Amino acid sequence: MTIIGWNGKLRSAEEAVIPVWDHGFLYGMTLFETMRTYNGRPYLLEHHLDRLHDACDDLGIILRVQSDEMFIHIRDVMHANGLNEAYIRLTVSAGEQGFGLPTDNYAHPIVMVLTKPLPPLPEELYKTGRPLQLLTTKRNSPESIIRYKSGHYMNNILAKRELMTYPSAKLGAEGLMLNEHGYVTEGIVSNVFAIVDNTLITPAIDTGILPGITRARVIELACAQGLTIKEDRFGWEMLLQAAEVFVTTSVQEIVPVTTLWSDANTEIKIGAGQIGAITQQLLAAYRRETACWLD
């Protein structure tokens, strides 16, 4: 039986039911954070909660979660499911506000913690990398000035359905979406980086990307190592000229991209088809930090 966290308590998945009048169900008013544990502790939990709280404030969802209390709750959910390490999804559904658009703040949101085992992450993935497939599905515009990590995932699901029609999907490809102006935005579940002329380049927030927690941490690590960093607008053609490309996610960390596939199934190799030196440097720094993660 799967156990989930439900407003700070443990419940079976069968017992946890969203009310029909909940605006998460009716109008997509949900937010979530995904993270993984190291040494049994959720990595960068406070940063995830800061992003969650900022989005709740903008949307009128009254919520404040203390990081120490949430850690204990996550630990309890993990242990109830027999997990020492876990993939974690923390979800907030706005709560009930009747039938129709809200006229007041959401005072009683539902907070859920879902856990599952970490997916297999073969070390070969971090040596030979994965393909990045250019999609025709465009990244939709953000809900506000900045994109929320919301449960409204239709755009990503359509992108995933398109990705599965390409041969690269069988090779473990991530899909890449451009915005309506033709600028690179992000992967279906990842942020994108490139090394061009010894500069670490990543799409600017105003391209419509999610400001990823791992993305921000990688930028900090790159600064600490003296790398030149640029957040900018650029197209697919610049990726084709890159010496290195990689993607970041909270669960998979830093994954090199070693081939770029266009929508016409044209495959372009990046570098020598192996993880590049700067990507390797950043991955090593990231793993040194997570290896001793206790706070």
Side-chain angles (χ1 to χ4, degrees):
M1 180 173 61
T2 300
I3 301 299
I4 72 169
W6 185 272
N7 288 337
K9 307 295 184 181
L10 299 180
R11 285 193 181 183
S12 70
E14 292 74 18
E15 293 176 307
V17 179
I18 296 288
V20 70
W21 301 116
D22 188 288
H23 279 204
F25 169 69
L26 287 178
Y27 302 114
M29 289 290 285
T30 63
L31 300 163
F32 73 100
E33 295 289 331
T34 57
M35 62 202 92
R36 63 168 290 181
T37 62
Y38 295 88
N39 298 315
R41 300 187 69 93
Y43 183 55
L44 300 178
L45 175 60
E46 289 192 0
H47 297 265
H48 284 280
L49 290 179
D50 286 344
R51 182 171 66 177
L52 181 65
H53 289 150
D54 287 345
C56 283
D57 290 344
D58 289 347
L59 296 172
I61 300 173
I62 300 175
L63 179 73
R64 275 297 176 273
V65 178
Q66 298 301 317
S67 60
D68 55 348
E69 293 176 359
M70 180 53 66
F71 162 63
I72 293 171
H73 183 46
I74 288 173
R75 183 195 61 193
D76 290 344
V77 178
M78 288 171 57
H79 289 175
N81 288 286
L83 299 173
N84 294 318
E85 303 287 1
Y87 175 119
I88 299 157
R89 174 169 165 144
L90 168 60
T91 302
V92 175
S93 191
E96 297 184 76
Q97 266 274 28
F99 189 24
L101 298 185
T103 57
D104 204 348
N105 288 336
Y106 295 98
H108 303 288
I110 296 172
V111 180
M112 293 168 276
V113 172
L114 310 179
T115 61
K116 65 179 182 180
L118 289 171
L121 298 172
E123 194 55 37
E124 187 66 20
L125 174 66
Y126 300 93
K127 296 177 181 178
T128 58
R130 69 190 310 178
L132 187 63
Q133 173 72 58
L134 178 64
L135 302 176
T136 59
T137 301
K138 299 301 181 187
R139 191 64 171 118
N140 61 358
S141 298
E143 301 87 346
S144 185
I145 296 174
I146 195 167
R147 184 177 297 278
Y148 304 126
K149 194 169 180 66
S150 76
H152 180 47
Y153 241 50
M154 192 179 295
N155 188 215
N156 302 66
I157 291 171
L158 289 172
K160 181 70 171 182
R161 289 179 63 83
E162 180 189 350
L163 174 62
M164 298 310 294
T165 67
Y166 294 111
S168 62
K170 295 181 180 179
L171 303 174
E174 165 68 313
L176 176 71
M177 292 179 281
L178 309 181
N179 66 15
E180 60 180 335
H181 303 294
Y183 295 124
V184 170
T185 61
E186 57 194 352
I188 298 172
V189 293
S190 65
N191 287 118
V192 179
F193 289 81
I195 306 296
V196 179
D197 296 330
N198 292 314
T199 297
L200 180 64
I201 301 178
T202 193
I205 297 296
D206 64 12
T207 60
I209 67 170
L210 178 76
I213 301 300
T214 306
R215 172 187 182 273
R217 188 64 192 128
V218 167
I219 290 173
E220 291 172 352
L221 290 172
C223 284
Q225 297 193 29
L227 296 174
T228 301
I229 300 151
K230 188 176 183 181
E231 298 181 60
D232 203 358
R233 300 178 182 181
F234 56 88
W236 172 252
E237 294 74 19
M238 199 203 72
L239 286 184
L240 296 175
Q241 301 168 14
E244 302 177 38
V245 178
F246 63 86
V247 295
T248 61
T249 76
S250 292
V251 174
Q252 293 191 339
E253 305 171 327
I254 299 171
V255 179
V257 169
T258 48
T259 55
L260 297 174
W261 292 60
S262 74
D263 54 3
N265 295 332
T266 302
E267 179 184 1
I268 303 295
K269 183 180 291 187
I270 298 297
Q274 301 280 328
I275 187 171
I278 295 177
T279 306
Q280 179 67 69
Q281 177 183 342
L282 290 171
L283 178 60
Y286 191 91
R287 287 185 167 174
R288 282 195 298 271
E289 181 174 90
T290 57
C292 58
W293 180 252
L294 294 174
D295 298 316

